Amino acid sequence: MSSLFWKFLKNPRQVGACCASSPALCREITSAIGVESADLIAELGPGTGVITEEICSKLKPGAKLAAVELDEALANGIERRFKNVTVFRGCASQLDTMLNSRALPKADVVISGLPFAIFPEELQEKILRGIVRSLVPGGTFATFAYLQGVILPAGVRFRRKLENTFPEVTTSQIVWNNMPPAFVYRCRKLGE
């Protein structure tokens, strides 16, 4: 069994999935958000690196990828596997501070694999504020949600938070080839 599965069993309030995202979901979350033209992309909660790998396959020459991972062992795994990724250990709500600490600019794109639905509302809000502070004007934020969570109160509240935070929120088609099925939220920050 994968280390992600054991981390999920040990701490389901921090690790929101028992298995990694499918290749289909990785392709969906990185499509139609400008990854190929971005100078800096930030990934929140890279976990085992399946989305990281998809991002890296689409980066233009000279582009940078910064990843924020709270779990020490997962962060170490990302550093070992992806030598060109800048890895930060800590809470995603501090993304802007982390980028500043390495003299990195604001991100063109932020991609999240974080389990927002299981986070307390206060933490959701802190992370979303950190994302907005970290994005360039007109920048894009993408995250996914599991299909069954859409009708639950936490899922409805999270969608409302996205709509209150970003002027444009769209959803992808359902990615049925994922366990469980999921879809992607694509959110755009207001431009200047």
Side-chain angles (χ1 to χ4, degrees):
M1 298 214 176
S2 76
S3 65
L4 191 61
F5 178 77
W6 292 113
K7 289 184 179 297
F8 172 76
L9 288 180
K10 194 173 177 181
N11 194 351
R13 304 276 310 150
Q14 181 178 321
V15 179
C18 60
C19 57
S21 299
S22 71
L25 182 56
C26 294
R27 285 190 300 274
E28 188 64 41
I29 198 168
T30 58
S31 69
I33 57 172
V35 169
E36 299 84 355
S37 60
D39 292 317
L40 176 67
I41 298 168
E43 182 184 9
L44 309 178
T48 60
V50 294
I51 295 173
T52 313
E53 185 173 353
E54 186 68 24
I55 295 168
C56 288
S57 75
K58 295 181 176 184
L59 289 177
K60 70 178 184 179
K64 294 184 180 353
L65 173 57
V68 178
E69 178 57 60
L70 188 60
D71 184 279
E72 187 75 22
L74 292 174
N76 290 339
I78 295 295
E79 274 187 331
R80 280 191 305 274
R81 188 169 166 205
F82 301 98
K83 301 297 183 195
N84 295 330
V85 175
T86 303
V87 178
F88 297 100
R89 290 160 180 80
C91 182
S93 65
Q94 298 300 309
L95 176 60
D96 57 327
T97 304
M98 293 174 189
L99 294 176
N100 287 337
S101 75
R102 300 269 181 95
L104 292 170
K106 291 188 178 215
D108 300 293
V109 175
V110 175
I111 297 173
S112 174
L114 296 174
F116 276 103
I118 64 172
F119 290 162
E121 283 190 70
E122 183 180 337
L123 181 57
Q124 288 178 353
E125 290 169 8
K126 284 181 180 178
I127 293 172
L128 289 174
R129 284 194 303 267
I131 291 166
V132 170
R133 288 191 309 265
S134 303
L135 277 171
V136 298
T140 304
F141 168 59
T143 190
F144 65 87
Y146 295 124
L147 185 57
Q148 78 276 10
V150 156
I151 58 170
L152 298 175
V156 172
R157 278 193 306 273
F158 182 64
R159 169 72 189 230
R160 199 172 311 123
K161 281 185 192 320
L162 289 176
E163 290 171 342
N164 290 335
T165 303
F166 295 95
E168 181 184 324
V169 178
T170 61
T171 55
S172 73
Q173 294 182 342
I174 297 167
V175 178
W176 293 104
N177 190 10
N178 192 71
M179 187 59 186
F183 64 93
V184 175
Y185 284 117
R186 295 182 180 106
C187 311
R188 190 164 308 277
K189 181 179 173 178
L190 196 62
E192 287 185 331

PDB file of all heavy atoms in Angstrom, residues 136-139 167-168 188-192:
ATOM      1  N   VAL A 136      -0.606  37.127  -9.510  1.00  0.00           N
ATOM      2  CA  VAL A 136      -0.548  38.355 -10.301  1.00  0.00           C
ATOM      3  C   VAL A 136      -1.985  38.754 -10.657  1.00  0.00           C
ATOM      4  O   VAL A 136      -2.881  37.904 -10.662  1.00  0.00           O
ATOM      5  CB  VAL A 136       0.277  38.158 -11.598  1.00  0.00           C
ATOM      6  CG1 VAL A 136       1.717  37.809 -11.293  1.00  0.00           C
ATOM      7  CG2 VAL A 136      -0.363  37.134 -12.517  1.00  0.00           C
ATOM      8  N   PRO A 137      -2.228  40.031 -10.969  1.00  0.00           N
ATOM      9  CA  PRO A 137      -3.556  40.409 -11.461  1.00  0.00           C
ATOM     10  C   PRO A 137      -3.906  39.580 -12.697  1.00  0.00           C
ATOM     11  O   PRO A 137      -3.076  39.397 -13.591  1.00  0.00           O
ATOM     12  CB  PRO A 137      -3.389  41.891 -11.816  1.00  0.00           C
ATOM     13  CG  PRO A 137      -2.266  42.354 -10.933  1.00  0.00           C
ATOM     14  CD  PRO A 137      -1.330  41.182 -10.838  1.00  0.00           C
ATOM     15  N   GLY A 138      -5.097  39.044 -12.741  1.00  0.00           N
ATOM     16  CA  GLY A 138      -5.516  38.190 -13.843  1.00  0.00           C
ATOM     17  C   GLY A 138      -5.017  36.761 -13.727  1.00  0.00           C
ATOM     18  O   GLY A 138      -5.293  35.939 -14.599  1.00  0.00           O
ATOM     19  N   GLY A 139      -4.300  36.439 -12.643  1.00  0.00           N
ATOM     20  CA  GLY A 139      -3.770  35.094 -12.437  1.00  0.00           C
ATOM     21  C   GLY A 139      -4.877  34.089 -12.152  1.00  0.00           C
ATOM     22  O   GLY A 139      -6.013  34.456 -11.827  1.00  0.00           O
ATOM     23  N   PRO A 167     -13.665  36.839  -8.960  1.00  0.00           N
ATOM     24  CA  PRO A 167     -14.761  37.334  -9.795  1.00  0.00           C
ATOM     25  C   PRO A 167     -15.203  36.333 -10.858  1.00  0.00           C
ATOM     26  O   PRO A 167     -16.300  36.442 -11.385  1.00  0.00           O
ATOM     27  CB  PRO A 167     -14.170  38.591 -10.445  1.00  0.00           C
ATOM     28  CG  PRO A 167     -12.694  38.411 -10.387  1.00  0.00           C
ATOM     29  CD  PRO A 167     -12.421  37.580  -9.178  1.00  0.00           C
ATOM     30  N   GLU A 168     -14.352  35.352 -11.160  1.00  0.00           N
ATOM     31  CA  GLU A 168     -14.704  34.361 -12.177  1.00  0.00           C
ATOM     32  C   GLU A 168     -14.379  32.959 -11.650  1.00  0.00           C
ATOM     33  O   GLU A 168     -13.236  32.670 -11.298  1.00  0.00           O
ATOM     34  CB  GLU A 168     -13.893  34.621 -13.452  1.00  0.00           C
ATOM     35  CG  GLU A 168     -14.178  33.674 -14.579  1.00  0.00           C
ATOM     36  CD  GLU A 168     -13.270  33.924 -15.776  1.00  0.00           C
ATOM     37  OE1 GLU A 168     -12.951  35.101 -16.058  1.00  0.00           O
ATOM     38  OE2 GLU A 168     -12.877  32.938 -16.414  1.00  0.00           O
ATOM     39  N   ARG A 188     -10.313  32.920 -11.543  1.00  0.00           N
ATOM     40  CA  ARG A 188      -9.430  33.962 -12.040  1.00  0.00           C
ATOM     41  C   ARG A 188      -9.487  35.176 -11.114  1.00  0.00           C
ATOM     42  O   ARG A 188     -10.557  35.624 -10.735  1.00  0.00           O
ATOM     43  CB  ARG A 188      -9.812  34.356 -13.454  1.00  0.00           C
ATOM     44  CG  ARG A 188      -8.778  35.267 -14.118  1.00  0.00           C
ATOM     45  CD  ARG A 188      -8.932  35.359 -15.618  1.00  0.00           C
ATOM     46  NE  ARG A 188      -8.981  34.085 -16.285  1.00  0.00           N
ATOM     47  CZ  ARG A 188      -7.917  33.350 -16.628  1.00  0.00           C
ATOM     48  NH1 ARG A 188      -6.720  33.772 -16.305  1.00  0.00           N
ATOM     49  NH2 ARG A 188      -8.073  32.217 -17.271  1.00  0.00           N
ATOM     50  N   LYS A 189      -8.301  35.681 -10.781  1.00  0.00           N
ATOM     51  CA  LYS A 189      -8.195  36.902  -9.970  1.00  0.00           C
ATOM     52  C   LYS A 189      -8.490  38.102 -10.873  1.00  0.00           C
ATOM     53  O   LYS A 189      -8.175  38.098 -12.054  1.00  0.00           O
ATOM     54  CB  LYS A 189      -6.789  37.007  -9.390  1.00  0.00           C
ATOM     55  CG  LYS A 189      -6.568  38.227  -8.520  1.00  0.00           C
ATOM     56  CD  LYS A 189      -5.158  38.240  -7.961  1.00  0.00           C
ATOM     57  CE  LYS A 189      -4.868  39.551  -7.228  1.00  0.00           C
ATOM     58  NZ  LYS A 189      -3.524  39.557  -6.633  1.00  0.00           N
ATOM     59  N   LEU A 190      -9.052  39.130 -10.286  1.00  0.00           N
ATOM     60  CA  LEU A 190      -9.338  40.362 -11.019  1.00  0.00           C
ATOM     61  C   LEU A 190      -8.050  40.938 -11.591  1.00  0.00           C
ATOM     62  O   LEU A 190      -7.024  40.982 -10.917  1.00  0.00           O
ATOM     63  CB  LEU A 190      -9.980  41.369 -10.061  1.00  0.00           C
ATOM     64  CG  LEU A 190     -10.697  42.554 -10.684  1.00  0.00           C
ATOM     65  CD1 LEU A 190     -11.862  42.098 -11.538  1.00  0.00           C
ATOM     66  CD2 LEU A 190     -11.196  43.487  -9.584  1.00  0.00           C
ATOM     67  N   GLY A 191      -8.082  41.360 -12.856  1.00  0.00           N
ATOM     68  CA  GLY A 191      -6.920  41.996 -13.484  1.00  0.00           C
ATOM     69  C   GLY A 191      -6.862  43.464 -13.126  1.00  0.00           C
ATOM     70  O   GLY A 191      -7.797  44.017 -12.547  1.00  0.00           O
ATOM     71  N   GLU A 192      -5.752  44.076 -13.477  1.00  0.00           N
ATOM     72  CA  GLU A 192      -5.620  45.516 -13.183  1.00  0.00           C
ATOM     73  C   GLU A 192      -6.298  46.354 -14.239  1.00  0.00           C
ATOM     74  O   GLU A 192      -6.449  45.988 -15.363  1.00  0.00           O
ATOM     75  CB  GLU A 192      -4.142  45.896 -13.112  1.00  0.00           C
ATOM     76  CG  GLU A 192      -3.502  45.387 -11.874  1.00  0.00           C
ATOM     77  CD  GLU A 192      -2.062  45.855 -11.704  1.00  0.00           C
ATOM     78  OE1 GLU A 192      -1.382  46.100 -12.708  1.00  0.00           O
ATOM     79  OE2 GLU A 192      -1.634  45.971 -10.555  1.00  0.00           O
TER      80      GLU A 192
END
